[in-house]
Amino acid sequence: MAFSKLGLSEKILEGVKAMGYSEPTPIQLRAIPLVLAGRDVIGSAQTGTGKTAAFALPILSKLGSHAPGQSPRVLILEPTRELAAQVETAIRDYARFTDLKVTVVFGGVGYGKQNDELRAGTDIVVGTPGRLLDHLEQGTVKLDKVEFLVLDEADRMLDMGFLPDVRRLVERCPRKRHSALFSATVPPQIETLIQWAMHEPETI
Ligand code: AMP
């Protein structure tokens, strides 16, 4: 099965081609059509399976091009700054033939660059929960325009004690949105989060 049969936009297919990917991985094959169809998706997948592209490619396809205005339409939560930076890089690569704007936000560094990028307006925010909450409280980011929410490595966010922060962030997103959650394991606390945050999700 070729990427070109999955319904992705031309610009995103160009990005995939430039990455040198020839065929979708199993999780991409299942997730991409579901996300394009507007379904909520739960992926029991670890790093290395191609899960980043599984959620990023259909979301970027649906976004199309940069929307004027400040507030992000996509929020991607990651447990660590390393993962946030990796996912930001992957998204920049996949979206390189579009004018979509992506901003990464994590703690342990200054606020200046993050504030500048958020104020200039961005389509996609990738970040760790703590720093995102700081931005929310300082008013540098608003989540009321979020259409797509991705909770990546949810079990690691649980292990690191981030679930209360995750909940506070999700509460600030519109109820009407699409959500995707990735987790290598689904302990009861993640099951509860799924029940609370997702709408008739398909598990893959
Ligand atoms: P991930 O599981 O998202 O961290 O991706 C693991 C690695 O697989 C990354 O280096 C991706 O660039 C690469 N990758 C993702 N999808 C594909 C694909 N369809 N074909 C080849 N490599 C891929």
Side-chain angles (χ1 to χ4, degrees), residues 3 19-25 28 46-53 86 94:
F3 272 106
M19 291 297 283
Y21 299 173
S22 52
E23 279 189 10
T25 66
Q28 291 165 4
Q46 281 157 333
T47 300
T49 54
K51 71 177 161 68
T52 310
Q86 266 175 41
Y94 301 142

Side-chain angles (χ1 to χ4, degrees), residues 20-50:
Y21 299 173
S22 52
E23 279 189 10
T25 66
I27 190 165
Q28 291 165 4
L29 214 47
R30 302 230 11 231
I32 291 171
L34 285 169
V35 177
L36 286 175
R39 292 292 308 269
D40 280 9
V41 169
I42 299 169
S44 336
Q46 281 157 333
T47 300
T49 54

Side-chain angles (χ1 to χ4, degrees), residues 27 41-56 59 74-88 90-91 94 125-129 132 148-160 162-163 166 169-170 179-185 190 193-194 198:
I27 190 165
V41 169
I42 299 169
S44 336
Q46 281 157 333
T47 300
T49 54
K51 71 177 161 68
T52 310
F55 66 77
I59 290 176
V74 182
L75 176 64
I76 302 170
L77 297 182
E78 297 289 338
T80 66
R81 52 172 159 170
E82 289 77 15
L83 271 166
Q86 266 175 41
V87 168
E88 185 222 8
I91 286 181
Y94 301 142
V125 169
V126 187
T128 52
L132 263 162
F148 298 94
L149 169 72
V150 180
L151 305 175
D152 196 18
E153 310 235 344
D155 47 355
R156 286 183 68 191
M157 293 204 273
L158 166 70
D159 291 344
M160 295 172 80
F162 291 161
L163 279 206
V166 170
L169 289 163
V170 175
S179 309
L181 178 144
F182 292 85
S183 202
T185 60
I190 299 297
L193 177 68
I194 288 169
M198 302 186 78

